[in-house]
Amino acid sequence: MEKKYVAEPYKIKVVEPIAVTSRAQREEVIKKAGYNTFLINSSDVYIDLLTDSGTTAMSDNQWAGIMMGDEAYAGSKNFMKLQEAVREVYGFKYIVPTHQGRGAENILSQITIKEGDYIPGNMYFTTTRAHQEMNGGTFVDVIIDEAHDSANENPFKGNIDLKKFENLIDEVGADKIPYICVAVTVNLAGGQPVSMKNLKEVSKLAKENGIMVMYDATRCVENAYFIKEREEGYQDKSIAEILKEMMSYADGCTMSGKKDCLVNIGGFLAINDEKLYQKATQLVVVYEGMPSYGGMSGRDMEAMARGIYESVDYNYIHHRITQCRYLGDKLSDAGIPIVKPVGGHAVFLDAKQFYPHIPQDEFPAQMLAAQLYLKSGVRSMERGIISAGRDKDGNNYHPKLELVRLTIPRRVYTYAHMDVVADSIIDLYKERDKVKGLKMVYEPPVLRFFTARFEPLK
Ligand SMILES: *Cc1c(COP(=O)(O)O)cnc(C)c1O
């Protein structure tokens, strides 16, 4: 069936050629990369859906801003612009610029977490959890159960389960919980949003117990779009209004500018509490740079400030979300098992269902990502047993979700590219019985998914 789509709300001013390779070339490439798509050179990739992080196409307005960089060591005017954008669009008082999201996570974790603390959150994120653990904290997943079920169509699958949050408070005591980390949207659940109602309730419960609410705001604009689309009372509100209301229920946020701020590098920590802001500035000078540039150049801060305003334009975000959904619907209509509903930044293939004959310990998602590259030069990534890593005792985590992520960069690919991706996956699905699993032949000690190597099982 022909699918309808929302045409691009922009036109192309600059083009970047991409590699068209043969099957024989790709066979060499994947073998050399140890069947790990992270280890493929981008010059060997046709359509790169590895990540939406830092892969954004900036606008002519942002590129013009790059020329307006004020590279002063202190008090850059671009920092003032960025601060103003964060205050106006997000509503937080203080901002500490960092080189990217994890720089902000590092500072937040250090100024708030003590040995033995607990940090509840709606499903873990790799770098976020790593910083919490490195500071002596324990991450506790308090997302609703539905989030772990790839077929469940709850419209707000990223919601916090208030009962789980409350139970944790009862169990360990509120003084052991410096803050609750609420990701809007939840990356590892498939880009699933949190409802405004849930954000309000979380804020109330946290406040009653003297616990701060910190958002992982990385994809907050996508979250705002889903609220407008799905939550009663928000249809007539603008994305900017919804975003501002969301943020009003938090004490601050960490932000990876490489996603919803529409830039290629940068991030920030935003916070309302003046004392914590001062603590953060003491650390930013050690890890990043002066408080007025952190980990960014003046021109980068200018591009980010402009990106923040562009990101709340309805036409931009409407196109983005519907492009993801187009790919998801096309796959779903062909009977391909995907995570539902389709989230904000990616389509996730359910590898356990795609290759039911491959046990999780033989890495079905990793193999599916490798097969997709072999088929058409499309690069995706594993989000399953390899990404989940090992626990403190060295045992593999066995996550319920064994997924391949097809992440859509912002403003980069067209619907024709989405068709190529969908058609190659549909072909792979027809040949699925012939595919076997992998064995891991090299495993690094941390964040293994980036550099682990594999060989196909005979
Ligand atoms: C990307 C990301 C981060 C980390 O940000 P970086 O800019 O990559 O350091 C944190 N949380 C989520 C949900 C992310 O997607």
Side-chain angles (χ1 to χ4, degrees):
M1 199 181 57
E2 271 313 299
K3 281 250 158 271
K4 281 252 187 269
Y5 52 76
V6 177
E8 286 74 14
Y10 46 80
K11 59 183 176 177
I12 295 164
K13 182 159 355 206
V14 175
V15 296
E16 177 183 344
I18 47 180
V20 179
T21 53
S22 66
R23 171 97 195 184
Q25 281 171 315
R26 294 193 293 274
E27 272 169 10
E28 289 260 307
V29 169
I30 197 78
K31 215 183 270 170
K32 243 176 78 191
Y35 287 78
N36 185 346
T37 51
F38 278 98
L39 299 177
I40 299 174
N41 290 338
S42 95
S43 53
D44 293 322
V45 173
Y46 180 46
I47 298 171
D48 204 346
L49 306 186
L50 187 70
T51 176
D52 63 333
S53 178
T55 52
T56 300
M58 291 205 294
S59 66
D60 55 354
N61 174 53
Q62 286 175 292
W63 278 108
I66 291 276
M67 283 307 291
M68 305 301 285
D70 169 9
E71 307 305 340
Y73 193 78
S76 159
K77 65 183 176 212
N78 310 116
F79 171 69
M80 308 303 163
K81 278 272 229 6
L82 178 58
Q83 184 169 260
E84 198 181 300
V86 172
R87 284 180 178 161
E88 205 175 311
V89 178
Y90 298 84
F92 296 116
K93 267 196 205 144
Y94 302 106
I95 157 179
V96 181
T98 57
H99 71 284
Q100 53 185 85
R102 70 198 68 184
E105 291 170 350
N106 173 35
I107 292 172
L108 174 68
S109 301
Q110 290 207 37
I111 62 176
T112 55
I113 300 172
K114 300 183 306 303
E115 186 71 40
D117 278 350
Y118 294 84
I119 303 91
N122 46 352
M123 209 174 268
Y124 83 97
F125 184 75
T126 51
T127 58
T128 319
R129 189 177 68 186
H131 280 295
Q132 293 165 352
E133 288 174 349
M134 276 161 59
N135 283 282
T138 302
F139 165 81
V140 182
D141 189 8
V142 293
I143 202 166
I144 55 171
D145 286 336
E146 288 93 320
H148 293 280
D149 172 3
S150 72
N152 188 293
E153 302 231 20
N154 187 319
F156 291 104
K157 244 168 132 174
N159 278 358
I160 300 274
D161 185 327
L162 294 162
K163 242 327 357 87
K164 288 185 191 170
F165 182 24
E166 208 165 4
N167 287 346
L168 181 72
I169 299 172
D170 290 344
E171 234 170 79
V172 304
D175 57 327
K176 284 252 182 311
I177 307 175
Y179 65 92
I180 177 167
C181 174
V182 185
V184 286
T185 60
V186 184
N187 190 347
L188 268 79
Q192 303 295 335
V194 182
S195 71
M196 194 73 88
K197 178 166 176 282
N198 191 249
L199 292 175
K200 244 187 260 186
E201 289 167 344
V202 168
S203 160
K204 182 163 175 286
L205 181 56
K207 227 183 227 136
E208 283 165 7
N209 288 279
I211 296 169
M212 281 196 305
V213 178
M214 294 299 298
Y215 289 171
D216 179 337
T218 297
R219 294 184 181 78
C220 57
V221 180
E222 292 166 12
N223 201 101
Y225 180 90
F226 286 121
I227 288 176
K228 182 176 171 73
E229 182 183 63
R230 298 175 184 170
E231 195 163 352
E232 216 192 305
Y234 289 93
Q235 278 69 47
D236 297 328
K237 293 219 154 95
S238 70
I239 297 294
E241 285 169 324
I242 295 170
L243 187 59
K244 198 88 171 264
E245 185 186 337
M246 284 167 56
M247 296 305 183
S248 74
Y249 304 122
D251 297 285
C253 73
T254 56
M255 183 74 193
S256 170
K258 304 172 72 170
K259 285 86 168 212
D260 271 359
C261 299
L262 298 176
V263 288
N264 304 119
I265 194 72
F268 60 81
L269 168 66
I271 203 145
N272 286 333
D273 184 276
E274 195 182 344
K275 281 215 182 82
L276 277 176
Y277 169 67
Q278 273 159 6
K279 275 195 185 171
T281 59
Q282 287 158 20
L283 285 185
V284 80
V285 294
V286 178
Y287 290 104
E288 306 274 333
M290 285 282 284
S292 63
Y293 69 82
M296 282 188 277
S297 62
R299 56 178 171 267
D300 287 341
M301 290 191 285
E302 183 66 33
M304 188 189 267
R306 293 178 184 216
I308 287 172
Y309 291 112
E310 286 178 18
S311 72
V312 293
D313 169 42
Y314 177 77
N315 292 324
Y316 151 71
I317 191 67
H318 178 54
H319 170 264
R320 166 153 184 77
I321 302 283
T322 45
Q323 191 182 40
C324 288
R325 194 171 293 160
Y326 171 85
L327 175 60
D329 286 350
K330 195 159 177 178
L331 291 170
S332 195
D333 289 353
I336 312 286
I338 62 167
V339 175
K340 286 193 181 159
V342 174
H345 67 293
V347 174
F348 289 73
L349 305 175
D350 186 330
K352 272 189 192 171
Q353 284 184 58
F354 200 103
Y355 291 141
H357 54 288
I358 303 181
Q360 195 171 20
D361 287 299
E362 293 174 8
F363 315 118
Q366 186 77 12
M367 191 49 159
L368 180 51
Q371 291 298 324
L372 179 57
Y373 175 75
L374 280 169
K375 174 68 72 189
S376 55
V378 173
R379 171 151 70 174
S380 57
M381 77 152 85
E382 189 256 17
R383 277 295 179 218
I385 184 167
I386 301 164
S387 296
R390 294 178 186 268
D391 64 18
K392 280 178 189 148
D393 304 321
N395 300 310
N396 281 317
Y397 287 111
H398 282 83
K400 261 200 202 142
L401 298 178
E402 175 76 17
L403 309 174
V404 168
R405 190 178 84 180
L406 306 160
T407 337
I408 320 284
R410 294 167 181 77
R411 306 190 290 206
V412 171
Y413 292 116
T414 65
Y415 280 89
H417 290 117
M418 296 303 114
D419 285 338
V420 171
V421 175
D423 291 343
S424 15
I425 293 167
I426 292 166
D427 283 349
L428 283 177
Y429 196 58
K430 289 179 193 145
E431 309 153 6
R432 64 190 180 278
D433 297 340
K434 286 186 240 142
V435 175
K436 295 197 175 70
L438 292 165
K439 66 169 187 259
M440 199 171 356
V441 294
Y442 165 70
E443 180 179 357
V446 284
L447 298 176
R448 62 181 179 182
F449 55 95
F450 284 128
T451 54
R453 303 184 69 86
F454 304 83
E455 277 169 14
L457 289 166
K458 290 273 145 30

PDB file of all heavy atoms in Angstrom, residues 37-38 50 363-367 369 380-388 402-405 449:
ATOM      1  N   THR A  37      29.021  -2.886  13.906  1.00  0.00           N
ATOM      2  CA  THR A  37      28.766  -1.732  13.036  1.00  0.00           C
ATOM      3  C   THR A  37      29.438  -0.455  13.546  1.00  0.00           C
ATOM      4  O   THR A  37      29.665   0.474  12.780  1.00  0.00           O
ATOM      5  CB  THR A  37      27.251  -1.481  12.866  1.00  0.00           C
ATOM      6  OG1 THR A  37      26.652  -1.441  14.165  1.00  0.00           O
ATOM      7  CG2 THR A  37      26.596  -2.569  12.038  1.00  0.00           C
ATOM      8  N   PHE A  38      29.780  -0.417  14.858  1.00  0.00           N
ATOM      9  CA  PHE A  38      30.517   0.740  15.381  1.00  0.00           C
ATOM     10  C   PHE A  38      31.926   0.818  14.783  1.00  0.00           C
ATOM     11  O   PHE A  38      32.553   1.867  14.798  1.00  0.00           O
ATOM     12  CB  PHE A  38      30.654   0.654  16.911  1.00  0.00           C
ATOM     13  CG  PHE A  38      29.440   1.132  17.643  1.00  0.00           C
ATOM     14  CD1 PHE A  38      28.492   0.240  18.115  1.00  0.00           C
ATOM     15  CD2 PHE A  38      29.239   2.491  17.872  1.00  0.00           C
ATOM     16  CE1 PHE A  38      27.375   0.675  18.802  1.00  0.00           C
ATOM     17  CE2 PHE A  38      28.137   2.939  18.558  1.00  0.00           C
ATOM     18  CZ  PHE A  38      27.195   2.027  19.018  1.00  0.00           C
ATOM     19  N   LEU A  50      23.241   4.846  12.475  1.00  0.00           N
ATOM     20  CA  LEU A  50      23.888   4.420  13.720  1.00  0.00           C
ATOM     21  C   LEU A  50      23.346   5.236  14.885  1.00  0.00           C
ATOM     22  O   LEU A  50      23.074   4.724  15.947  1.00  0.00           O
ATOM     23  CB  LEU A  50      25.403   4.609  13.612  1.00  0.00           C
ATOM     24  CG  LEU A  50      26.219   4.052  14.774  1.00  0.00           C
ATOM     25  CD1 LEU A  50      26.208   2.530  14.771  1.00  0.00           C
ATOM     26  CD2 LEU A  50      27.657   4.552  14.720  1.00  0.00           C
ATOM     27  N   PHE A 363      23.678 -13.407  20.265  1.00  0.00           N
ATOM     28  CA  PHE A 363      23.629 -12.027  19.778  1.00  0.00           C
ATOM     29  C   PHE A 363      22.792 -11.806  18.511  1.00  0.00           C
ATOM     30  O   PHE A 363      23.310 -11.312  17.497  1.00  0.00           O
ATOM     31  CB  PHE A 363      25.059 -11.511  19.560  1.00  0.00           C
ATOM     32  CG  PHE A 363      25.984 -11.840  20.694  1.00  0.00           C
ATOM     33  CD1 PHE A 363      27.091 -12.650  20.504  1.00  0.00           C
ATOM     34  CD2 PHE A 363      25.725 -11.370  21.975  1.00  0.00           C
ATOM     35  CE1 PHE A 363      27.944 -12.975  21.561  1.00  0.00           C
ATOM     36  CE2 PHE A 363      26.575 -11.679  23.040  1.00  0.00           C
ATOM     37  CZ  PHE A 363      27.680 -12.486  22.826  1.00  0.00           C
ATOM     38  N   PRO A 364      21.507 -12.143  18.566  1.00  0.00           N
ATOM     39  CA  PRO A 364      20.659 -11.965  17.370  1.00  0.00           C
ATOM     40  C   PRO A 364      20.603 -10.515  16.868  1.00  0.00           C
ATOM     41  O   PRO A 364      20.573 -10.291  15.655  1.00  0.00           O
ATOM     42  CB  PRO A 364      19.277 -12.447  17.825  1.00  0.00           C
ATOM     43  CG  PRO A 364      19.327 -12.512  19.325  1.00  0.00           C
ATOM     44  CD  PRO A 364      20.757 -12.748  19.685  1.00  0.00           C
ATOM     45  N   ALA A 365      20.597  -9.536  17.774  1.00  0.00           N
ATOM     46  CA  ALA A 365      20.495  -8.140  17.328  1.00  0.00           C
ATOM     47  C   ALA A 365      21.777  -7.710  16.629  1.00  0.00           C
ATOM     48  O   ALA A 365      21.749  -7.027  15.594  1.00  0.00           O
ATOM     49  CB  ALA A 365      20.185  -7.223  18.509  1.00  0.00           C
ATOM     50  N   GLN A 366      22.915  -8.112  17.190  1.00  0.00           N
ATOM     51  CA  GLN A 366      24.197  -7.767  16.573  1.00  0.00           C
ATOM     52  C   GLN A 366      24.258  -8.358  15.157  1.00  0.00           C
ATOM     53  O   GLN A 366      24.715  -7.706  14.211  1.00  0.00           O
ATOM     54  CB  GLN A 366      25.337  -8.327  17.433  1.00  0.00           C
ATOM     55  CG  GLN A 366      26.720  -7.924  16.999  1.00  0.00           C
ATOM     56  CD  GLN A 366      27.073  -6.491  17.395  1.00  0.00           C
ATOM     57  OE1 GLN A 366      26.360  -5.868  18.181  1.00  0.00           O
ATOM     58  NE2 GLN A 366      28.137  -5.961  16.846  1.00  0.00           N
ATOM     59  N   MET A 367      23.784  -9.605  15.019  1.00  0.00           N
ATOM     60  CA  MET A 367      23.819 -10.263  13.716  1.00  0.00           C
ATOM     61  C   MET A 367      22.876  -9.569  12.735  1.00  0.00           C
ATOM     62  O   MET A 367      23.195  -9.402  11.564  1.00  0.00           O
ATOM     63  CB  MET A 367      23.450 -11.743  13.870  1.00  0.00           C
ATOM     64  CG  MET A 367      23.713 -12.552  12.616  1.00  0.00           C
ATOM     65  SD  MET A 367      25.401 -12.254  11.964  1.00  0.00           S
ATOM     66  CE  MET A 367      25.642 -13.708  10.980  1.00  0.00           C
ATOM     67  N   ALA A 369      22.028  -6.433  12.701  1.00  0.00           N
ATOM     68  CA  ALA A 369      22.658  -5.175  12.277  1.00  0.00           C
ATOM     69  C   ALA A 369      23.723  -5.460  11.215  1.00  0.00           C
ATOM     70  O   ALA A 369      23.837  -4.724  10.218  1.00  0.00           O
ATOM     71  CB  ALA A 369      23.276  -4.463  13.482  1.00  0.00           C
ATOM     72  N   SER A 380      23.148   0.365  11.276  1.00  0.00           N
ATOM     73  CA  SER A 380      22.279   0.481  12.453  1.00  0.00           C
ATOM     74  C   SER A 380      23.111   0.061  13.663  1.00  0.00           C
ATOM     75  O   SER A 380      24.306  -0.145  13.531  1.00  0.00           O
ATOM     76  CB  SER A 380      21.085  -0.455  12.282  1.00  0.00           C
ATOM     77  OG  SER A 380      21.556  -1.787  12.099  1.00  0.00           O
ATOM     78  N   MET A 381      22.482  -0.049  14.827  1.00  0.00           N
ATOM     79  CA  MET A 381      23.245  -0.534  15.986  1.00  0.00           C
ATOM     80  C   MET A 381      22.451  -1.467  16.868  1.00  0.00           C
ATOM     81  O   MET A 381      21.230  -1.426  16.898  1.00  0.00           O
ATOM     82  CB  MET A 381      23.780   0.627  16.825  1.00  0.00           C
ATOM     83  CG  MET A 381      22.760   1.291  17.715  1.00  0.00           C
ATOM     84  SD  MET A 381      23.530   2.002  19.167  1.00  0.00           S
ATOM     85  CE  MET A 381      24.042   3.584  18.535  1.00  0.00           C
ATOM     86  N   GLU A 382      23.188  -2.296  17.594  1.00  0.00           N
ATOM     87  CA  GLU A 382      22.602  -3.228  18.547  1.00  0.00           C
ATOM     88  C   GLU A 382      22.205  -2.496  19.814  1.00  0.00           C
ATOM     89  O   GLU A 382      22.955  -1.658  20.321  1.00  0.00           O
ATOM     90  CB  GLU A 382      23.636  -4.301  18.900  1.00  0.00           C
ATOM     91  CG  GLU A 382      23.085  -5.450  19.707  1.00  0.00           C
ATOM     92  CD  GLU A 382      23.440  -5.454  21.198  1.00  0.00           C
ATOM     93  OE1 GLU A 382      23.874  -4.414  21.763  1.00  0.00           O
ATOM     94  OE2 GLU A 382      23.241  -6.490  21.827  1.00  0.00           O
ATOM     95  N   ARG A 383      21.005  -2.769  20.341  1.00  0.00           N
ATOM     96  CA  ARG A 383      20.648  -2.330  21.684  1.00  0.00           C
ATOM     97  C   ARG A 383      20.027  -3.551  22.356  1.00  0.00           C
ATOM     98  O   ARG A 383      18.821  -3.735  22.348  1.00  0.00           O
ATOM     99  CB  ARG A 383      19.665  -1.153  21.655  1.00  0.00           C
ATOM    100  CG  ARG A 383      20.336   0.212  21.474  1.00  0.00           C
ATOM    101  CD  ARG A 383      21.217   0.563  22.652  1.00  0.00           C
ATOM    102  NE  ARG A 383      21.894   1.854  22.501  1.00  0.00           N
ATOM    103  CZ  ARG A 383      23.143   2.084  22.912  1.00  0.00           C
ATOM    104  NH1 ARG A 383      23.868   1.130  23.423  1.00  0.00           N
ATOM    105  NH2 ARG A 383      23.671   3.277  22.802  1.00  0.00           N
ATOM    106  N   GLY A 384      20.895  -4.394  22.885  1.00  0.00           N
ATOM    107  CA  GLY A 384      20.420  -5.618  23.524  1.00  0.00           C
ATOM    108  C   GLY A 384      21.447  -6.090  24.509  1.00  0.00           C
ATOM    109  O   GLY A 384      22.014  -5.284  25.260  1.00  0.00           O
ATOM    110  N   ILE A 385      21.738  -7.379  24.473  1.00  0.00           N
ATOM    111  CA  ILE A 385      22.591  -7.996  25.491  1.00  0.00           C
ATOM    112  C   ILE A 385      24.008  -7.418  25.498  1.00  0.00           C
ATOM    113  O   ILE A 385      24.626  -7.295  26.548  1.00  0.00           O
ATOM    114  CB  ILE A 385      22.602  -9.537  25.328  1.00  0.00           C
ATOM    115  CG1 ILE A 385      23.406 -10.213  26.445  1.00  0.00           C
ATOM    116  CG2 ILE A 385      23.135  -9.951  23.951  1.00  0.00           C
ATOM    117  CD1 ILE A 385      23.209 -11.708  26.538  1.00  0.00           C
ATOM    118  N   ILE A 386      24.506  -7.011  24.337  1.00  0.00           N
ATOM    119  CA  ILE A 386      25.875  -6.479  24.306  1.00  0.00           C
ATOM    120  C   ILE A 386      25.909  -5.082  24.929  1.00  0.00           C
ATOM    121  O   ILE A 386      26.747  -4.784  25.773  1.00  0.00           O
ATOM    122  CB  ILE A 386      26.433  -6.464  22.873  1.00  0.00           C
ATOM    123  CG1 ILE A 386      26.423  -7.890  22.307  1.00  0.00           C
ATOM    124  CG2 ILE A 386      27.860  -5.917  22.849  1.00  0.00           C
ATOM    125  CD1 ILE A 386      26.589  -7.953  20.809  1.00  0.00           C
ATOM    126  N   SER A 387      24.956  -4.241  24.548  1.00  0.00           N
ATOM    127  CA  SER A 387      24.880  -2.893  25.128  1.00  0.00           C
ATOM    128  C   SER A 387      24.647  -2.942  26.633  1.00  0.00           C
ATOM    129  O   SER A 387      25.133  -2.084  27.375  1.00  0.00           O
ATOM    130  CB  SER A 387      23.746  -2.097  24.486  1.00  0.00           C
ATOM    131  OG  SER A 387      23.997  -1.896  23.125  1.00  0.00           O
ATOM    132  N   ALA A 388      23.885  -3.922  27.092  1.00  0.00           N
ATOM    133  CA  ALA A 388      23.540  -3.988  28.522  1.00  0.00           C
ATOM    134  C   ALA A 388      24.757  -4.309  29.380  1.00  0.00           C
ATOM    135  O   ALA A 388      24.808  -3.942  30.554  1.00  0.00           O
ATOM    136  CB  ALA A 388      22.424  -5.011  28.742  1.00  0.00           C
ATOM    137  N   GLU A 402      15.796  -7.103  23.032  1.00  0.00           N
ATOM    138  CA  GLU A 402      16.976  -7.395  22.209  1.00  0.00           C
ATOM    139  C   GLU A 402      16.695  -6.721  20.859  1.00  0.00           C
ATOM    140  O   GLU A 402      15.968  -7.266  20.027  1.00  0.00           O
ATOM    141  CB  GLU A 402      17.145  -8.916  22.088  1.00  0.00           C
ATOM    142  CG  GLU A 402      18.253  -9.404  21.177  1.00  0.00           C
ATOM    143  CD  GLU A 402      19.674  -9.273  21.753  1.00  0.00           C
ATOM    144  OE1 GLU A 402      19.806  -9.104  22.984  1.00  0.00           O
ATOM    145  OE2 GLU A 402      20.619  -9.309  20.964  1.00  0.00           O
ATOM    146  N   LEU A 403      17.264  -5.510  20.684  1.00  0.00           N
ATOM    147  CA  LEU A 403      16.785  -4.658  19.599  1.00  0.00           C
ATOM    148  C   LEU A 403      17.897  -4.229  18.645  1.00  0.00           C
ATOM    149  O   LEU A 403      19.070  -4.218  19.011  1.00  0.00           O
ATOM    150  CB  LEU A 403      16.137  -3.395  20.172  1.00  0.00           C
ATOM    151  CG  LEU A 403      15.065  -3.598  21.250  1.00  0.00           C
ATOM    152  CD1 LEU A 403      14.637  -2.247  21.819  1.00  0.00           C
ATOM    153  CD2 LEU A 403      13.860  -4.335  20.705  1.00  0.00           C
ATOM    154  N   VAL A 404      17.487  -3.879  17.437  1.00  0.00           N
ATOM    155  CA  VAL A 404      18.368  -3.182  16.507  1.00  0.00           C
ATOM    156  C   VAL A 404      17.770  -1.794  16.305  1.00  0.00           C
ATOM    157  O   VAL A 404      16.581  -1.666  16.007  1.00  0.00           O
ATOM    158  CB  VAL A 404      18.466  -3.901  15.151  1.00  0.00           C
ATOM    159  CG1 VAL A 404      19.142  -3.023  14.112  1.00  0.00           C
ATOM    160  CG2 VAL A 404      19.235  -5.203  15.315  1.00  0.00           C
ATOM    161  N   ARG A 405      18.589  -0.766  16.516  1.00  0.00           N
ATOM    162  CA  ARG A 405      18.078   0.602  16.437  1.00  0.00           C
ATOM    163  C   ARG A 405      18.400   1.215  15.086  1.00  0.00           C
ATOM    164  O   ARG A 405      19.561   1.237  14.666  1.00  0.00           O
ATOM    165  CB  ARG A 405      18.693   1.428  17.561  1.00  0.00           C
ATOM    166  CG  ARG A 405      18.049   2.788  17.704  1.00  0.00           C
ATOM    167  CD  ARG A 405      18.647   3.542  18.852  1.00  0.00           C
ATOM    168  NE  ARG A 405      19.862   4.228  18.443  1.00  0.00           N
ATOM    169  CZ  ARG A 405      20.617   4.979  19.265  1.00  0.00           C
ATOM    170  NH1 ARG A 405      20.271   5.104  20.540  1.00  0.00           N
ATOM    171  NH2 ARG A 405      21.694   5.572  18.830  1.00  0.00           N
ATOM    172  N   PHE A 449      29.950  -2.485  23.843  1.00  0.00           N
ATOM    173  CA  PHE A 449      29.317  -2.461  22.513  1.00  0.00           C
ATOM    174  C   PHE A 449      30.095  -1.626  21.503  1.00  0.00           C
ATOM    175  O   PHE A 449      30.019  -1.860  20.306  1.00  0.00           O
ATOM    176  CB  PHE A 449      27.865  -1.960  22.609  1.00  0.00           C
ATOM    177  CG  PHE A 449      27.724  -0.621  23.281  1.00  0.00           C
ATOM    178  CD1 PHE A 449      27.665   0.543  22.525  1.00  0.00           C
ATOM    179  CD2 PHE A 449      27.641  -0.523  24.657  1.00  0.00           C
ATOM    180  CE1 PHE A 449      27.540   1.785  23.135  1.00  0.00           C
ATOM    181  CE2 PHE A 449      27.517   0.712  25.278  1.00  0.00           C
ATOM    182  CZ  PHE A 449      27.472   1.866  24.523  1.00  0.00           C
TER     183      PHE A 449
END
